Amino acid sequence: QNFYRQYYQPDNAVLVVAGKFDANKTLAQISKRFGSIAKPKRILPQAWTVEPTQDGERSVVVRRVGSTQIVAVGYKIPAALHDDGDALIAAGDMLAGSANARLHKLLVESGKAAQVFSYSKNGIDPGLILIAAVVKQGDAIEPVQAAIIDAMENFQAPSAEELERYQRRMALRYEELLNDPASTAQALSEASAQGDWRLLFKGRDDLQKLTLAKISAASKKYFLRDNRIVASFIPDDKPQRVEIPAAPSVAQALADYKPRLAQKAAEEFDPSQANIDARTQRSKIGGVKIALLPKSSRGDQVVVEMQLHYGDAENTKGKLWAATFARAMLTKGTSKFNRQQLADEMDKVKLSGSPSNFQTTKENLVAALDLACHVMREPTFPESEFVQMKQQFKVALAQKKTDPQSLATNALQEYFNPWPAEDMRAYMSIDQQLASLEKLTLAEVKDFYQQFHGASHGEVAIVGAFDVAQAKDALQRCFANWPSKANYVRLDDKNKAVAATRQIIPAPDKENAVYMARVNLDLGRDDDDFALMMLADHMFGGSGMSSRLGERARQKDGLSYGIGSQIHAGEFDRAGSLSISAIVAPQNVTKLEAAIKEELQKTLQNGFSASELAQAKSGLLQQRRLARTEDGALASGLNSL
């Protein structure tokens, strides 16, 4: 409470509003609601501690229950305002930030590690940059650690191609961020915490000023043995100390900054069902239904969603992993490009996402569609990529064996599973998945692709700023002559009658417990009761912390930081359910379970109030209206409907 009163005050807060709104009215509301809060009399304390220069390499070892090994090598870096920060983050990305990075080629492609990644954290104070690797249990971790240290402390000067690829990818991320009001608001808030909101845009512009020399110089300055955090202390008469320089002031950092012009604004789109229907142009190419919704968008963005259907209950038996790999390996190489070349081509046409679900811009749409079609129709399934992916799936499955969330989810799926083994819809335990994955061959993956992939059945939706005629031509080129060989019948769904039960699943050495509950419902989306159940769920637990479960578990009892419920109804089949889930400290599981039962019983006995119902109706309608203003949600909705 003392901490709350000290820091949760208006003179220590930032408020950001982003999107399309009336600025004057909004500022008036902010002034009315926040301006009335009295200015605190206390003075915020000033941080005085400065971390001393590190005197030698350090290490830490954590031992607890788990199934995978992780080695991380970190180096201290200056605060975000310092000029060396961007160069160091770029160096880390070139080493381990993507599938094209140096350490990915050295460690993942050789099988020594399942994954490598780069992570940096600095802000108003100095921070840390680290490179980590995930190593399969039983494999040697020392060679991986040595390789990371060698790559960082003997950092080879980047090539012009590496720098261009990094700058292009980061520019696309900034562009996507600034086209999303929610992400923009969060980023502006983070920049404000460093001293000024304009730092967001300065950071974007500074990325394009990076040079090969600056990256090399910064790496040599900070990636040193005595600034390393990983190994044991070793006495040394000549320590290589690194002094972390002070960051310039905000005024100095912004002294010569000149902002660029803002992104092109979007139209004021009417998200009503009638307007969406009126503006959507529908057609068909063979068995693929097309929905095109041209509208101006911020930055001339375009969203493309494709879903192609294949197979039936019989011809897909036992082929879950083959289907998974056939889809996942599409971007690992084609008749024209290897994986790295393909990633570069996707960046060039600003294709962000997967070949079947991506975002691009108006001027790049045709090229992006052509590239996506090429990827879907001409994959080569390289054996080296198959081996890597198989190893990555094994590691991911092994991690789930000790994760409380995965253990609870798997227990529910197994208990409610109505399908026989080998069926595409059937639940497989983690051990069964691992055993099945072990048997998978590349030949099976290729055979599945040849038999099932094609454009005989599916849907495509495009929403955003684009030329309809050009888009139709590109889709025609892609889908006109690409039939699926295998028979297709939509897989149905069903519920299985089960008795009530309660399971306790041990997960040693984990700080959080997970509570999950489910009851099957004979419910379809066409039922009159479905709308009533949606509202009831929204009030009971579906609206998160403002729901009855949220108010009870977090606000009143302080038992859970995350709790909620979800209603599901079958689209075509009567396979509905109500689920409840929560994260809780292990010692509070019994209390939480009792609180959930009590709230459920009170709801069943007393129902809801008129004010709750009015608020739920308003909230759900606003959520739906807001969702229909998002191009991605529109594309997804057009396809699924």
Side-chain angles (χ1 to χ4, degrees), residues 367-404:
L369 286 171
D370 287 342
L371 180 61
C373 181
H374 166 71
V375 172
M376 290 189 291
R377 296 192 63 166
E378 299 184 40
T380 53
F381 302 103
E383 184 173 3
S384 61
E385 297 288 349
F386 172 74
V387 173
Q388 286 182 47
M389 184 171 290
K390 198 172 182 179
Q391 178 71 4
Q392 290 166 351
F393 271 103
K394 287 180 182 178
V395 171
L397 286 170
Q399 287 177 322
K400 291 183 177 181
K401 298 181 76 171
T402 56
D403 173 59

mmCIF file of all heavy atoms in Angstrom, residues 367-404:
data_model
loop_
_atom_site.group_PDB
_atom_site.id
_atom_site.type_symbol
_atom_site.label_atom_id
_atom_site.label_comp_id
_atom_site.label_asym_id
_atom_site.label_seq_id
_atom_site.Cartn_x
_atom_site.Cartn_y
_atom_site.Cartn_z
ATOM 1 N N ALA A 367 2.992 -8.343 -56.158
ATOM 2 C CA ALA A 367 4.250 -9.079 -56.011
ATOM 3 C C ALA A 367 4.184 -10.019 -54.810
ATOM 4 O O ALA A 367 4.699 -11.150 -54.856
ATOM 5 C CB ALA A 367 5.415 -8.094 -55.856
ATOM 6 N N ALA A 368 3.547 -9.573 -53.724
ATOM 7 C CA ALA A 368 3.431 -10.412 -52.529
ATOM 8 C C ALA A 368 2.531 -11.618 -52.792
ATOM 9 O O ALA A 368 2.827 -12.739 -52.355
ATOM 10 C CB ALA A 368 2.891 -9.589 -51.361
ATOM 11 N N LEU A 369 1.424 -11.409 -53.512
ATOM 12 C CA LEU A 369 0.552 -12.523 -53.859
ATOM 13 C C LEU A 369 1.262 -13.524 -54.765
ATOM 14 O O LEU A 369 1.146 -14.745 -54.582
ATOM 15 C CB LEU A 369 -0.715 -12.004 -54.547
ATOM 16 C CG LEU A 369 -1.761 -11.325 -53.658
ATOM 17 C CD1 LEU A 369 -2.845 -10.678 -54.510
ATOM 18 C CD2 LEU A 369 -2.382 -12.320 -52.675
ATOM 19 N N ASP A 370 1.995 -13.007 -55.732
ATOM 20 C CA ASP A 370 2.744 -13.900 -56.633
ATOM 21 C C ASP A 370 3.787 -14.701 -55.857
ATOM 22 O O ASP A 370 3.974 -15.905 -56.101
ATOM 23 C CB ASP A 370 3.416 -13.086 -57.741
ATOM 24 C CG ASP A 370 2.414 -12.576 -58.766
ATOM 25 O OD1 ASP A 370 1.294 -13.112 -58.822
ATOM 26 O OD2 ASP A 370 2.747 -11.620 -59.503
ATOM 27 N N LEU A 371 4.470 -14.034 -54.916
ATOM 28 C CA LEU A 371 5.485 -14.725 -54.124
ATOM 29 C C LEU A 371 4.828 -15.765 -53.219
ATOM 30 O O LEU A 371 5.315 -16.897 -53.107
ATOM 31 C CB LEU A 371 6.283 -13.724 -53.286
ATOM 32 C CG LEU A 371 7.391 -14.315 -52.407
ATOM 33 C CD1 LEU A 371 8.440 -15.015 -53.262
ATOM 34 C CD2 LEU A 371 8.041 -13.231 -51.546
ATOM 35 N N ALA A 372 3.722 -15.393 -52.577
ATOM 36 C CA ALA A 372 3.020 -16.335 -51.700
ATOM 37 C C ALA A 372 2.544 -17.554 -52.491
ATOM 38 O O ALA A 372 2.651 -18.697 -52.024
ATOM 39 C CB ALA A 372 1.839 -15.644 -51.028
ATOM 40 N N CYS A 373 2.034 -17.317 -53.689
ATOM 41 C CA CYS A 373 1.581 -18.422 -54.534
ATOM 42 C C CYS A 373 2.753 -19.325 -54.924
ATOM 43 O O CYS A 373 2.642 -20.553 -54.892
ATOM 44 C CB CYS A 373 0.899 -17.855 -55.775
ATOM 45 S SG CYS A 373 0.256 -19.131 -56.882
ATOM 46 N N HIS A 374 3.869 -18.710 -55.271
ATOM 47 C CA HIS A 374 5.063 -19.495 -55.614
ATOM 48 C C HIS A 374 5.479 -20.379 -54.448
ATOM 49 O O HIS A 374 5.810 -21.566 -54.636
ATOM 50 C CB HIS A 374 6.206 -18.549 -56.008
ATOM 51 C CG HIS A 374 7.546 -19.208 -56.060
ATOM 52 N ND1 HIS A 374 7.894 -20.103 -57.044
ATOM 53 C CD2 HIS A 374 8.619 -19.102 -55.226
ATOM 54 C CE1 HIS A 374 9.128 -20.542 -56.830
ATOM 55 N NE2 HIS A 374 9.587 -19.943 -55.731
ATOM 56 N N VAL A 375 5.456 -19.827 -53.242
ATOM 57 C CA VAL A 375 5.853 -20.586 -52.055
ATOM 58 C C VAL A 375 4.902 -21.756 -51.829
ATOM 59 O O VAL A 375 5.332 -22.876 -51.521
ATOM 60 C CB VAL A 375 5.876 -19.662 -50.818
ATOM 61 C CG1 VAL A 375 6.085 -20.471 -49.543
ATOM 62 C CG2 VAL A 375 6.967 -18.611 -50.949
ATOM 63 N N MET A 376 3.604 -21.514 -51.983
ATOM 64 C CA MET A 376 2.623 -22.577 -51.734
ATOM 65 C C MET A 376 2.656 -23.668 -52.804
ATOM 66 O O MET A 376 2.367 -24.831 -52.520
ATOM 67 C CB MET A 376 1.220 -21.979 -51.644
ATOM 68 C CG MET A 376 0.984 -21.140 -50.391
ATOM 69 S SD MET A 376 -0.752 -20.660 -50.165
ATOM 70 C CE MET A 376 -0.971 -19.516 -51.529
ATOM 71 N N ARG A 377 3.040 -23.299 -54.025
ATOM 72 C CA ARG A 377 2.944 -24.256 -55.132
ATOM 73 C C ARG A 377 4.270 -24.924 -55.491
ATOM 74 O O ARG A 377 4.263 -25.987 -56.119
ATOM 75 C CB ARG A 377 2.363 -23.559 -56.372
ATOM 76 C CG ARG A 377 0.939 -23.064 -56.175
ATOM 77 C CD ARG A 377 0.286 -22.650 -57.480
ATOM 78 N NE ARG A 377 0.151 -23.762 -58.427
ATOM 79 C CZ ARG A 377 -0.606 -23.743 -59.509
ATOM 80 N NH1 ARG A 377 -1.332 -22.656 -59.764
ATOM 81 N NH2 ARG A 377 -0.681 -24.772 -60.321
ATOM 82 N N GLU A 378 5.401 -24.328 -55.093
ATOM 83 C CA GLU A 378 6.685 -24.889 -55.521
ATOM 84 C C GLU A 378 7.677 -25.065 -54.378
ATOM 85 O O GLU A 378 8.837 -24.679 -54.479
ATOM 86 C CB GLU A 378 7.298 -23.997 -56.609
ATOM 87 C CG GLU A 378 6.436 -23.871 -57.858
ATOM 88 C CD GLU A 378 7.131 -23.069 -58.946
ATOM 89 O OE1 GLU A 378 8.351 -23.249 -59.133
ATOM 90 O OE2 GLU A 378 6.460 -22.249 -59.599
ATOM 91 N N PRO A 379 7.249 -25.641 -53.231
ATOM 92 C CA PRO A 379 8.214 -25.907 -52.151
ATOM 93 C C PRO A 379 9.110 -27.082 -52.510
ATOM 94 O O PRO A 379 8.721 -27.956 -53.299
ATOM 95 C CB PRO A 379 7.318 -26.240 -50.961
ATOM 96 C CG PRO A 379 6.103 -26.845 -51.587
ATOM 97 C CD PRO A 379 5.898 -26.103 -52.880
ATOM 98 N N THR A 380 10.311 -27.107 -51.934
ATOM 99 C CA THR A 380 11.258 -28.184 -52.236
ATOM 100 C C THR A 380 11.532 -29.092 -51.043
ATOM 101 O O THR A 380 12.151 -30.132 -51.201
ATOM 102 C CB THR A 380 12.594 -27.598 -52.732
ATOM 103 O OG1 THR A 380 13.063 -26.622 -51.788
ATOM 104 C CG2 THR A 380 12.425 -26.950 -54.095
ATOM 105 N N PHE A 381 11.119 -28.704 -49.838
ATOM 106 C CA PHE A 381 11.287 -29.518 -48.637
ATOM 107 C C PHE A 381 12.728 -30.022 -48.459
ATOM 108 O O PHE A 381 12.981 -31.230 -48.517
ATOM 109 C CB PHE A 381 10.317 -30.712 -48.659
ATOM 110 C CG PHE A 381 8.870 -30.315 -48.764
ATOM 111 C CD1 PHE A 381 8.190 -30.417 -49.977
ATOM 112 C CD2 PHE A 381 8.200 -29.817 -47.668
ATOM 113 C CE1 PHE A 381 6.851 -30.052 -50.072
ATOM 114 C CE2 PHE A 381 6.860 -29.445 -47.760
ATOM 115 C CZ PHE A 381 6.184 -29.555 -48.962
ATOM 116 N N PRO A 382 13.689 -29.108 -48.241
ATOM 117 C CA PRO A 382 15.085 -29.529 -48.082
ATOM 118 C C PRO A 382 15.255 -30.447 -46.866
ATOM 119 O O PRO A 382 14.658 -30.222 -45.806
ATOM 120 C CB PRO A 382 15.830 -28.204 -47.863
ATOM 121 C CG PRO A 382 14.914 -27.144 -48.392
ATOM 122 C CD PRO A 382 13.535 -27.647 -48.149
ATOM 123 N N GLU A 383 16.067 -31.469 -47.023
ATOM 124 C CA GLU A 383 16.256 -32.448 -45.944
ATOM 125 C C GLU A 383 16.871 -31.799 -44.705
ATOM 126 O O GLU A 383 16.488 -32.121 -43.570
ATOM 127 C CB GLU A 383 17.133 -33.601 -46.424
ATOM 128 C CG GLU A 383 17.278 -34.698 -45.379
ATOM 129 C CD GLU A 383 17.992 -35.923 -45.907
ATOM 130 O OE1 GLU A 383 18.421 -35.897 -47.078
ATOM 131 O OE2 GLU A 383 18.109 -36.909 -45.163
ATOM 132 N N SER A 384 17.833 -30.886 -44.890
ATOM 133 C CA SER A 384 18.474 -30.235 -43.740
ATOM 134 C C SER A 384 17.460 -29.444 -42.918
ATOM 135 O O SER A 384 17.513 -29.429 -41.679
ATOM 136 C CB SER A 384 19.599 -29.311 -44.213
ATOM 137 O OG SER A 384 19.088 -28.284 -45.055
ATOM 138 N N GLU A 385 16.517 -28.797 -43.607
ATOM 139 C CA GLU A 385 15.487 -28.034 -42.899
ATOM 140 C C GLU A 385 14.523 -28.975 -42.174
ATOM 141 O O GLU A 385 14.051 -28.669 -41.072
ATOM 142 C CB GLU A 385 14.705 -27.162 -43.888
ATOM 143 C CG GLU A 385 15.533 -26.109 -44.597
ATOM 144 C CD GLU A 385 15.934 -24.970 -43.666
ATOM 145 O OE1 GLU A 385 15.394 -24.904 -42.539
ATOM 146 O OE2 GLU A 385 16.782 -24.168 -44.059
ATOM 147 N N PHE A 386 14.239 -30.123 -42.761
ATOM 148 C CA PHE A 386 13.378 -31.125 -42.117
ATOM 149 C C PHE A 386 14.006 -31.612 -40.818
ATOM 150 O O PHE A 386 13.324 -31.714 -39.781
ATOM 151 C CB PHE A 386 13.156 -32.298 -43.069
ATOM 152 C CG PHE A 386 12.440 -33.467 -42.452
ATOM 153 C CD1 PHE A 386 11.079 -33.411 -42.197
ATOM 154 C CD2 PHE A 386 13.128 -34.615 -42.116
ATOM 155 C CE1 PHE A 386 10.409 -34.486 -41.624
ATOM 156 C CE2 PHE A 386 12.481 -35.701 -41.549
ATOM 157 C CZ PHE A 386 11.110 -35.637 -41.300
ATOM 158 N N VAL A 387 15.302 -31.882 -40.847
ATOM 159 C CA VAL A 387 16.001 -32.352 -39.637
ATOM 160 C C VAL A 387 15.956 -31.285 -38.546
ATOM 161 O O VAL A 387 15.689 -31.580 -37.372
ATOM 162 C CB VAL A 387 17.461 -32.724 -39.978
ATOM 163 C CG1 VAL A 387 18.240 -33.044 -38.706
ATOM 164 C CG2 VAL A 387 17.485 -33.914 -40.932
ATOM 165 N N GLN A 388 16.213 -30.024 -38.919
ATOM 166 C CA GLN A 388 16.162 -28.924 -37.952
ATOM 167 C C GLN A 388 14.773 -28.793 -37.329
ATOM 168 O O GLN A 388 14.626 -28.669 -36.109
ATOM 169 C CB GLN A 388 16.522 -27.602 -38.632
ATOM 170 C CG GLN A 388 17.985 -27.410 -38.955
ATOM 171 C CD GLN A 388 18.227 -26.048 -39.569
ATOM 172 O OE1 GLN A 388 17.748 -25.042 -39.072
ATOM 173 N NE2 GLN A 388 18.952 -26.012 -40.666
ATOM 174 N N MET A 389 13.765 -28.813 -38.174
ATOM 175 C CA MET A 389 12.399 -28.611 -37.686
ATOM 176 C C MET A 389 11.975 -29.756 -36.779
ATOM 177 O O MET A 389 11.314 -29.553 -35.752
ATOM 178 C CB MET A 389 11.437 -28.473 -38.864
ATOM 179 C CG MET A 389 10.006 -28.153 -38.445
ATOM 180 S SD MET A 389 8.950 -27.743 -39.851
ATOM 181 C CE MET A 389 9.644 -26.157 -40.299
ATOM 182 N N LYS A 390 12.342 -30.942 -37.124
ATOM 183 C CA LYS A 390 12.007 -32.100 -36.305
ATOM 184 C C LYS A 390 12.631 -31.967 -34.919
ATOM 185 O O LYS A 390 11.984 -32.247 -33.894
ATOM 186 C CB LYS A 390 12.498 -33.372 -36.998
ATOM 187 C CG LYS A 390 11.856 -34.649 -36.480
ATOM 188 C CD LYS A 390 12.248 -35.829 -37.367
ATOM 189 C CE LYS A 390 11.582 -37.108 -36.890
ATOM 190 N NZ LYS A 390 11.929 -38.266 -37.753
ATOM 191 N N GLN A 391 13.868 -31.512 -34.876
ATOM 192 C CA GLN A 391 14.552 -31.310 -33.599
ATOM 193 C C GLN A 391 13.868 -30.218 -32.780
ATOM 194 O O GLN A 391 13.680 -30.351 -31.563
ATOM 195 C CB GLN A 391 16.019 -30.926 -33.860
ATOM 196 C CG GLN A 391 16.835 -30.639 -32.605
ATOM 197 C CD GLN A 391 17.121 -31.894 -31.798
ATOM 198 O OE1 GLN A 391 16.770 -33.001 -32.216
ATOM 199 N NE2 GLN A 391 17.714 -31.731 -30.643
ATOM 200 N N GLN A 392 13.445 -29.142 -33.428
ATOM 201 C CA GLN A 392 12.785 -28.042 -32.730
ATOM 202 C C GLN A 392 11.448 -28.477 -32.146
ATOM 203 O O GLN A 392 11.092 -28.110 -31.027
ATOM 204 C CB GLN A 392 12.602 -26.860 -33.683
ATOM 205 C CG GLN A 392 13.907 -26.168 -34.047
ATOM 206 C CD GLN A 392 13.779 -25.224 -35.223
ATOM 207 O OE1 GLN A 392 12.750 -25.191 -35.904
ATOM 208 N NE2 GLN A 392 14.823 -24.463 -35.490
ATOM 209 N N PHE A 393 10.683 -29.277 -32.889
ATOM 210 C CA PHE A 393 9.415 -29.788 -32.376
ATOM 211 C C PHE A 393 9.639 -30.711 -31.175
ATOM 212 O O PHE A 393 8.871 -30.688 -30.210
ATOM 213 C CB PHE A 393 8.658 -30.537 -33.478
ATOM 214 C CG PHE A 393 7.754 -29.665 -34.306
ATOM 215 C CD1 PHE A 393 8.128 -29.257 -35.570
ATOM 216 C CD2 PHE A 393 6.532 -29.255 -33.812
ATOM 217 C CE1 PHE A 393 7.297 -28.442 -36.344
ATOM 218 C CE2 PHE A 393 5.685 -28.447 -34.565
ATOM 219 C CZ PHE A 393 6.071 -28.037 -35.834
ATOM 220 N N LYS A 394 10.686 -31.517 -31.220
ATOM 221 C CA LYS A 394 10.987 -32.416 -30.104
ATOM 222 C C LYS A 394 11.281 -31.626 -28.837
ATOM 223 O O LYS A 394 10.797 -31.956 -27.746
ATOM 224 C CB LYS A 394 12.184 -33.312 -30.449
ATOM 225 C CG LYS A 394 11.894 -34.401 -31.464
ATOM 226 C CD LYS A 394 13.156 -35.209 -31.721
ATOM 227 C CE LYS A 394 12.942 -36.278 -32.774
ATOM 228 N NZ LYS A 394 14.196 -37.020 -33.049
ATOM 229 N N VAL A 395 12.087 -30.594 -28.976
ATOM 230 C CA VAL A 395 12.431 -29.768 -27.814
ATOM 231 C C VAL A 395 11.190 -29.077 -27.253
ATOM 232 O O VAL A 395 10.978 -29.026 -26.035
ATOM 233 C CB VAL A 395 13.511 -28.730 -28.191
ATOM 234 C CG1 VAL A 395 13.715 -27.730 -27.062
ATOM 235 C CG2 VAL A 395 14.818 -29.423 -28.522
ATOM 236 N N ALA A 396 10.350 -28.542 -28.155
ATOM 237 C CA ALA A 396 9.136 -27.854 -27.707
ATOM 238 C C ALA A 396 8.201 -28.813 -26.977
ATOM 239 O O ALA A 396 7.600 -28.455 -25.950
ATOM 240 C CB ALA A 396 8.423 -27.230 -28.904
ATOM 241 N N LEU A 397 8.064 -30.040 -27.465
ATOM 242 C CA LEU A 397 7.213 -31.020 -26.803
ATOM 243 C C LEU A 397 7.790 -31.430 -25.455
ATOM 244 O O LEU A 397 7.047 -31.601 -24.471
ATOM 245 C CB LEU A 397 7.045 -32.255 -27.693
ATOM 246 C CG LEU A 397 6.133 -32.102 -28.906
ATOM 247 C CD1 LEU A 397 6.252 -33.305 -29.832
ATOM 248 C CD2 LEU A 397 4.681 -31.931 -28.461
ATOM 249 N N ALA A 398 9.110 -31.576 -25.393
ATOM 250 C CA ALA A 398 9.744 -31.955 -24.131
ATOM 251 C C ALA A 398 9.519 -30.892 -23.060
ATOM 252 O O ALA A 398 9.316 -31.207 -21.883
ATOM 253 C CB ALA A 398 11.237 -32.188 -24.340
ATOM 254 N N GLN A 399 9.520 -29.619 -23.447
ATOM 255 C CA GLN A 399 9.288 -28.539 -22.499
ATOM 256 C C GLN A 399 7.894 -28.633 -21.884
ATOM 257 O O GLN A 399 7.685 -28.301 -20.719
ATOM 258 C CB GLN A 399 9.458 -27.181 -23.183
ATOM 259 C CG GLN A 399 10.904 -26.821 -23.488
ATOM 260 C CD GLN A 399 11.010 -25.502 -24.228
ATOM 261 O OE1 GLN A 399 10.191 -25.188 -25.081
ATOM 262 N NE2 GLN A 399 12.023 -24.715 -23.903
ATOM 263 N N LYS A 400 6.930 -29.079 -22.661
ATOM 264 C CA LYS A 400 5.541 -29.156 -22.184
ATOM 265 C C LYS A 400 5.366 -30.190 -21.073
ATOM 266 O O LYS A 400 4.399 -30.126 -20.311
ATOM 267 C CB LYS A 400 4.607 -29.501 -23.340
ATOM 268 C CG LYS A 400 4.452 -28.399 -24.377
ATOM 269 C CD LYS A 400 3.450 -28.797 -25.451
ATOM 270 C CE LYS A 400 3.233 -27.683 -26.463
ATOM 271 N NZ LYS A 400 2.237 -28.047 -27.493
ATOM 272 N N LYS A 401 6.291 -31.148 -20.949
ATOM 273 C CA LYS A 401 6.127 -32.230 -19.985
ATOM 274 C C LYS A 401 6.250 -31.749 -18.546
ATOM 275 O O LYS A 401 5.854 -32.457 -17.612
ATOM 276 C CB LYS A 401 7.146 -33.339 -20.262
ATOM 277 C CG LYS A 401 6.978 -33.974 -21.632
ATOM 278 C CD LYS A 401 7.975 -35.075 -21.888
ATOM 279 C CE LYS A 401 7.638 -36.339 -21.152
ATOM 280 N NZ LYS A 401 8.478 -37.475 -21.569
ATOM 281 N N THR A 402 6.806 -30.546 -18.338
ATOM 282 C CA THR A 402 6.925 -30.018 -16.978
ATOM 283 C C THR A 402 6.239 -28.671 -16.813
ATOM 284 O O THR A 402 6.354 -28.050 -15.762
ATOM 285 C CB THR A 402 8.413 -29.869 -16.592
ATOM 286 O OG1 THR A 402 9.077 -29.038 -17.552
ATOM 287 C CG2 THR A 402 9.101 -31.221 -16.537
ATOM 288 N N ASP A 403 5.532 -28.205 -17.839
ATOM 289 C CA ASP A 403 4.866 -26.908 -17.793
ATOM 290 C C ASP A 403 3.437 -27.070 -17.279
ATOM 291 O O ASP A 403 2.643 -27.813 -17.869
ATOM 292 C CB ASP A 403 4.855 -26.282 -19.193
ATOM 293 C CG ASP A 403 4.018 -25.009 -19.232
ATOM 294 O OD1 ASP A 403 4.329 -24.081 -18.479
ATOM 295 O OD2 ASP A 403 3.042 -24.972 -20.015
ATOM 296 N N PRO A 404 3.058 -26.387 -16.186
ATOM 297 C CA PRO A 404 1.713 -26.560 -15.620
ATOM 298 C C PRO A 404 0.598 -26.270 -16.607
ATOM 299 O O PRO A 404 -0.409 -26.990 -16.646
ATOM 300 C CB PRO A 404 1.696 -25.567 -14.457
ATOM 301 C CG PRO A 404 3.131 -25.409 -14.065
ATOM 302 C CD PRO A 404 3.903 -25.512 -15.346
#
